[in-house]
Amino acid sequence: MNQSLTRLVFAGEALVDLLMWVPALPERGGDMLAGSSSVQVGGGFNVMAAAARQGLPVLYAGGHGTGPWGDKVRAALAAEGIAVLRPPDPDADTGFDVALVEDGGERTFVTSLGAETLRAPGAWDAVPVRAGDAVYVSGYGLVAPDSGAILGAWAAALPAGVLLFVDPGPLIADIPAAVLGPVLSRCDWWSSNKREAALLTGASDPAEAARLLIARTGRAGVIVRAGQSGCTLALRAAAGVSLSLIPAPDVVAVDTTGAGDAHAGVFLAGLAAALPPAAAASRANAAAALAVTRAGPAVSPSRAELEAFLAAEGRSRPTP
């Protein structure tokens, strides 16, 4: 958990978000006009962009397709300076999701998987991981039929010098126990929001959920994000488990899409900059807070923007 990080290897899925802002979700069988809409690259791209904007080198190890969605994903990756490991899949385009964003910022997704989901046995074996890498795995990758077990087995077998960061995402309850268990045991950092943590532990209190989660991991630190309340950080200590509430800046949310992704990317960049976990989590809280004041999925701040925001909050942190 304390090894020096030099690169983020993203073992997940970058896809396209079809975003529509609505006053509320339509009733079943109903219809409504969106107030506005946009088409943006999202999914795992949000995490990668957040880390890259803080200066952490990033390699996208997931799949991408041949077609307009794949072209859009590759262009977005290139614009952030993110390297791509694989050639395009000639037989499929990249997938997409429809995201409905309600007044107040809450969002609801429906996803159609595409070439970003790797189903072939051994699909991850050729990823060039090395000591000093942080590997990011999400629940979206673990839950998919066929491909989830392949990704999970690879992640659970990563060598000890590689830091494994896992975010289960909103589909946590649908990840098969046989896939989730070994990954949970192997991971170095587990990060989920309080809803996801409650689904896994039965505890609605973030601190209690974090305590229960760290007991289920073999070696991990645990983060339970609680929106405007910040996050709970659980670490192993000589006397047992150390629990800390890391506060977040008070902001007015416009769109919560990608807030957890911004948190993850900036937290990993903070660790790579040798910040202690609590300082990295505080920095990640600030990045997520700033992100929710902006509409869209990949709106994590640049390093300069984050420094200016922290300075304005009176809580400046060392620059990575």
Side-chain angles (χ1 to χ4, degrees):
M1 197 157 41
N2 295 319
Q3 62 260 50
S4 176
L5 301 182
T6 57
R7 182 177 65 160
L8 172 59
V9 177
F10 191 86
E13 308 78 27
L15 41 72
V16 172
D17 289 330
L18 309 181
L19 291 151
M20 287 182 279
W21 282 266
V22 295
L25 295 182
E27 63 179 345
R28 186 178 183 185
D31 195 356
M32 68 171 50
L33 296 177
S36 59
S37 64
S38 69
V39 179
Q40 302 182 28
V41 176
F45 172 72
N46 303 338
V47 178
M48 292 185 279
R53 290 170 190 173
Q54 299 299 310
L56 181 60
V58 180
L59 172 68
Y60 177 50
H64 49 108
T66 301
W69 293 154
D71 291 344
K72 192 171 185 66
V73 166
R74 283 185 292 276
L77 292 169
E80 299 289 345
I82 297 168
V84 176
L85 175 65
R86 305 173 190 271
D89 184 334
D91 300 318
D93 199 358
T94 292
F96 64 95
D97 65 67
V98 176
L100 300 179
V101 185
E102 301 173 70
D103 288 348
E106 190 56 73
R107 77 280 187 274
T108 303
F109 289 109
V110 179
T111 302
S112 176
L113 300 177
E116 73 286 350
T117 301
L118 302 172
R119 299 177 174 85
W124 296 97
D125 294 348
V127 177
V129 290
R130 62 197 185 211
D133 282 343
V135 171
Y136 180 103
V137 170
S138 83
Y140 287 107
L142 297 173
V143 76
D146 303 323
S147 62
I150 295 168
L151 173 60
W154 173 79
L158 286 169
V162 174
L163 183 149
L164 176 60
F165 183 102
V166 180
D167 186 330
L171 299 178
I172 175 62
D174 298 322
I175 302 173
V179 174
L180 181 63
V183 174
L184 186 58
S185 295
R186 167 59 185 84
C187 73
D188 297 282
W189 283 100
W190 176 273
S191 178
S192 59
N193 65 30
K194 63 180 182 180
R195 172 189 173 275
E196 297 153 4
L199 287 172
L200 194 59
T201 65
S204 58
D205 176 65
E208 177 63 10
R211 186 186 65 79
L212 293 171
L213 279 169
I214 201 169
R216 294 184 58 178
T217 67
R219 53 196 272 171
V222 169
I223 299 167
V224 177
R225 307 183 307 274
Q228 291 183 341
S229 298
C231 68
T232 295
L233 183 68
L235 300 172
R236 285 181 168 80
V241 176
S242 169
L243 293 174
S244 303
L245 174 61
I246 312 297
D250 186 19
V251 298
V252 177
V254 172
D255 182 356
T256 61
T257 306
D261 296 333
H263 197 281
V266 173
F267 178 78
L268 287 168
L271 294 185
L275 294 182
S282 180
R283 192 175 178 86
N285 281 352
L290 187 52
V292 302
T293 66
R294 303 168 172 179
V299 290
S300 185
S302 68
R303 183 191 304 178
E305 288 173 328
L306 183 54
E307 289 300 325
F309 181 67
L310 285 167
E313 291 286 317
R315 302 188 298 136
S316 185
R317 295 287 183 262
T319 303

